[in-house]
Amino acid sequence: MIDSELNKIPKFVKRLFREVSDPENEYICWDEDGEKIRIVNKDKFVKNTLPRLSKTKEYSGFIRQLNIYGFVKIKSDKNDDVEEYYNCFFKRDEPNLMEHIKRVRKYHEKGSKLNYSVLENNLTYLTNCNFRLSNELAELRERVERQERTINGLLEILGKVFRTGAQNISHESNLLKMRSDFPANLLGSQNNSNGYTPGKLIEDKESEHTNSSIVKDMNDIFYF
Amino acid sequence: MIDSELNKIPKFVKRLFREVSDPENEYICWDEDGEKIRIVNKDKFVKNTLPRLSKTKEYSGFIRQLNIYGFVKIKSDKNDDVEEYYNCFFKRDEPNLMEHIKRVRKYHEKGSKLNYSVLENNLTYLTNCNFRLSNELAELRERVERQERTINGLLEILGKVFRTGAQNISHESNLLKMRSDFPANLLGSQNNSNGYTPGKLIEDKESEHTNSSIVKDMNDIFYF
DNA sequence: GGGAATATTCCC
DNA sequence: GGGAATATTCCC
């Protein structure tokens, strides 16, 4: 990055990038993808990191600065003390984008009106996208968890069935078929890179083979 | 001072009053009359007092704030590290005046336009007055100093004259008259509350009595 | 999250 | 000394 570009970047933004990227910092960092910043423990962040970023002693003062530079809070499904903020021009691996970060201005103020409103629209759009994605992700995570419980329940029942013998089961061949296919589908979905393959379990044609009495008993442990 | 009045005073002004009035503070204080603030040692002021006054680490930042609240620098005849600032609404013995101190605004900005321009005119006027007074004072101080030297010279000569006897003096009665009146006029002017009585020495009719030969010798030590 | 007042910095 | 940009605080 050449000097004239570096000089265009507001001090706050430069310092923010420096601190977020510093692996020594425990309380502010990039998310896994280097797309969002993450504040991990507000109190400790304020005490340990904020003084290097700004003169304010208040967390709210820091957030005001983030907002002024167009960062938006990303809905997080974490319940712990973690906050994430996003700005489409603030990415770990593309520091050159930072030169597009401008102080937020009102529409009718002098300066790059048009430029700014475009930026603002983009940001609004991305914010909405992010919000939706974040919600979807949270739902999917819950779904994966429910599936795990289902699997465990299934495996437990199966184990019990095998230990007590097959005397109550009318068609042994059907049970064996189910054990080799049904759980495989369930477990296989967890190895998927998304942690989930939409609707695969329910719609899988293999499950139509399990129309025996034991499958009816399993309805109790299906959380879907 | 009631609470609603106290609340109208800008934080900076309140803190400034507190620090200037605190006798513990060595590097900022009132002048003798409680009319001006005095910063005594810039470096030490910045290190010891400024942190209690503001977040800025720079002396210039402090001065910017003074200017924003209408303080003006008073020409000082001191050559040492002392600066004085004046604001007609900032006085040691009349803290109630502080409520009139407003942040400096441009004429055409919304808010108390009229109010402000009046204030500004007053300040300009007072600044000029102060400037003139300060200059005059400095001149007078120099003049007093010259007079002192003159007096000392005179006394020295007189002492010499008396020790060597009165053989060279033609009219002894004239000399005695001068000794009892002339130095008294000179010294008397220093006890005056202004430290000076304009033109008294030169124009004093008593000096017309000293038209003897010794007075002609004294021309060498007159600094006027 | 952001408007607006105040504070601070930067620069002429 | 002060205009203007940026930072911080205060408050809705």
Side-chain angles (χ1 to χ4, degrees):
Chain A
M1 202 183 310
I2 57 170
D3 214 41
S4 68
E5 277 166 347
L6 198 64
N7 282 336
K8 279 195 287 185
I9 302 168
K11 281 199 171 176
F12 174 77
V13 178
K14 273 192 278 191
R15 285 193 293 237
L16 182 64
F17 189 85
R18 185 189 68 203
E19 297 302 327
V20 175
S21 302
D22 182 350
E24 297 280 303
N25 277 334
E26 290 183 67
Y27 308 115
I28 190 167
C29 58
W30 292 102
D31 69 333
E32 292 75 12
D33 306 322
E35 293 274 316
K36 299 192 290 287
I37 66 174
R38 188 173 275 167
I39 298 102
V40 175
N41 180 322
K42 281 198 196 70
D43 288 345
K44 290 190 174 171
F45 167 76
V46 168
K47 244 180 278 172
N48 294 285
T49 312
L50 191 54
R52 285 199 297 284
L53 262 170
S54 130
K55 288 188 167 186
T56 187
K57 304 248 176 305
E58 306 298 325
Y59 187 69
S60 62
F62 169 64
I63 299 305
R64 188 75 197 83
Q65 279 285 81
L66 287 181
N67 289 329
I68 280 173
Y69 286 105
F71 284 80
V72 286
K73 191 172 183 174
I74 300 302
K75 183 197 175 309
S76 150
D77 56 302
K78 302 174 198 289
N79 8 2
D80 45 3
D81 191 7
V82 172
E83 284 193 354
E84 294 183 332
Y85 282 84
Y86 173 79
N87 181 327
C88 61
F89 295 135
F90 196 79
K91 295 184 195 297
R92 180 184 58 203
D93 303 320
E94 295 171 86
N96 284 331
L97 292 178
M98 276 192 288
E99 64 180 281
H100 298 112
I101 299 182
K102 302 290 177 216
R103 204 178 162 77
V104 166
R105 294 187 173 289
K106 276 159 251 134
Y107 285 107
H108 302 303
E109 214 169 340
K110 68 180 180 183
S112 51
K113 286 186 267 287
L114 182 64
N115 203 7
Y116 175 66
S117 67
V118 170
L119 201 159
E120 198 178 49
N121 285 336
N122 287 347
L123 255 183
T124 304
Y125 173 70
L126 280 170
T127 304
N128 289 337
C129 288
N130 249 289
F131 186 79
R132 242 185 307 108
L133 289 172
S134 179
N135 277 336
E136 277 181 35
L137 194 63
E139 276 177 35
L140 292 188
R141 285 200 178 119
E142 282 179 38
R143 187 161 180 172
V144 166
E145 207 187 313
R146 285 197 306 269
Q147 289 178 328
E148 267 177 32
R149 275 183 283 156
T150 303
I151 293 162
N152 288 339
L154 284 173
L155 291 177
E156 203 180 321
I157 288 181
L158 285 177
K160 211 182 291 173
V161 165
F162 277 104
R163 274 196 302 280
T164 57
Q167 59 267 38
N168 299 323
I169 317 285
S170 48
H171 311 291
E172 194 173 347
S173 61
N174 264 347
L175 176 63
L176 287 173
K177 186 165 176 32
M178 188 177 81
R179 189 181 67 125
S180 60
D181 291 338
F182 193 13
N185 284 333
L186 282 163
L187 292 164
S189 73
Q190 291 187 305
N191 297 329
N192 184 299
S193 65
N194 291 323
Y196 178 67
T197 306
K200 187 154 187 206
L201 173 62
I202 303 303
E203 289 153 34
D204 197 309
K205 290 294 169 196
E206 296 285 356
S207 59
E208 292 179 2
H209 296 193
T210 61
N211 51 0
S212 64
S213 60
I214 193 167
V215 172
K216 298 208 172 4
D217 294 345
M218 284 180 185
N219 283 330
D220 297 340
I221 57 160
F222 266 95
Y223 294 88
F224 303 100
Chain B
M1 202 183 309
I2 58 170
D3 214 42
S4 67
E5 278 166 346
L6 198 65
N7 282 336
K8 280 194 288 186
I9 302 168
K11 281 199 173 176
F12 174 77
V13 177
K14 273 193 276 193
R15 285 193 293 236
L16 183 63
F17 190 85
R18 184 189 69 204
E19 296 302 327
V20 175
S21 303
D22 183 349
E24 297 280 304
N25 277 334
E26 290 182 66
Y27 307 115
I28 191 167
C29 59
W30 293 102
D31 69 333
E32 292 75 11
D33 305 322
E35 294 274 316
K36 299 192 290 286
I37 67 175
R38 189 174 274 166
I39 298 101
V40 175
N41 180 322
K42 282 200 196 66
D43 288 345
K44 291 190 173 171
F45 168 76
V46 168
K47 245 180 277 173
N48 295 285
T49 312
L50 191 54
R52 283 198 299 283
L53 220 43
S54 130
K55 287 188 167 185
T56 186
K57 303 248 177 304
E58 306 298 326
Y59 188 69
S60 62
F62 169 64
I63 300 305
R64 188 75 197 83
Q65 279 285 80
L66 286 181
N67 289 329
I68 279 173
Y69 286 105
F71 284 79
V72 287
K73 189 173 184 175
I74 299 303
K75 183 199 177 305
S76 150
D77 56 301
K78 303 172 197 290
N79 4 2
D80 44 3
D81 190 7
V82 172
E83 284 192 353
E84 293 183 331
Y85 281 84
Y86 173 79
N87 180 326
C88 60
F89 295 134
F90 197 78
K91 295 183 195 298
R92 180 184 58 203
D93 304 319
E94 294 171 88
N96 284 331
L97 292 177
M98 275 193 289
E99 64 180 282
H100 298 112
I101 300 181
K102 303 289 177 219
R103 204 178 162 78
V104 166
R105 292 185 173 292
K106 276 159 251 134
Y107 285 107
H108 304 302
E109 213 170 342
K110 69 179 178 183
S112 53
K113 285 187 267 287
L114 182 64
N115 204 7
Y116 175 67
S117 66
V118 171
L119 201 160
E120 198 178 49
N121 284 337
N122 287 347
L123 256 183
T124 304
Y125 173 69
L126 280 171
T127 305
N128 289 339
C129 288
N130 249 288
F131 186 78
R132 243 185 305 109
L133 288 172
S134 178
N135 278 336
E136 277 181 36
L137 194 63
E139 277 177 34
L140 291 189
R141 284 197 179 122
E142 281 179 37
R143 187 162 182 173
V144 166
E145 208 188 311
R146 286 197 303 270
Q147 287 177 328
E148 266 177 33
R149 275 183 282 157
T150 301
I151 293 162
N152 288 339
L154 283 173
L155 291 177
E156 204 181 318
I157 288 180
L158 286 178
K160 209 183 292 175
V161 165
F162 278 105
R163 272 197 303 281
T164 56
Q167 60 269 35
N168 298 323
I169 318 288
S170 45
H171 309 292
E172 195 175 346
S173 62
N174 264 346
L175 176 62
L176 288 172
K177 188 167 176 34
M178 189 178 82
R179 190 181 67 124
S180 63
D181 291 338
F182 194 15
N185 283 334
L186 283 163
L187 292 164
S189 74
Q190 290 186 306
N191 296 328
N192 184 300
S193 67
N194 290 322
Y196 178 67
T197 305
K200 189 157 188 206
L201 172 62
I202 304 300
E203 289 155 33
D204 197 309
K205 289 296 169 192
E206 294 290 291
S207 62
E208 293 181 1
H209 295 191
T210 62
N211 52 357
S212 65
S213 60
I214 193 167
V215 172
K216 299 213 172 356
D217 294 347
M218 285 178 183
N219 282 333
D220 296 342
I221 56 161
F222 266 94
Y223 293 89
F224 303 101

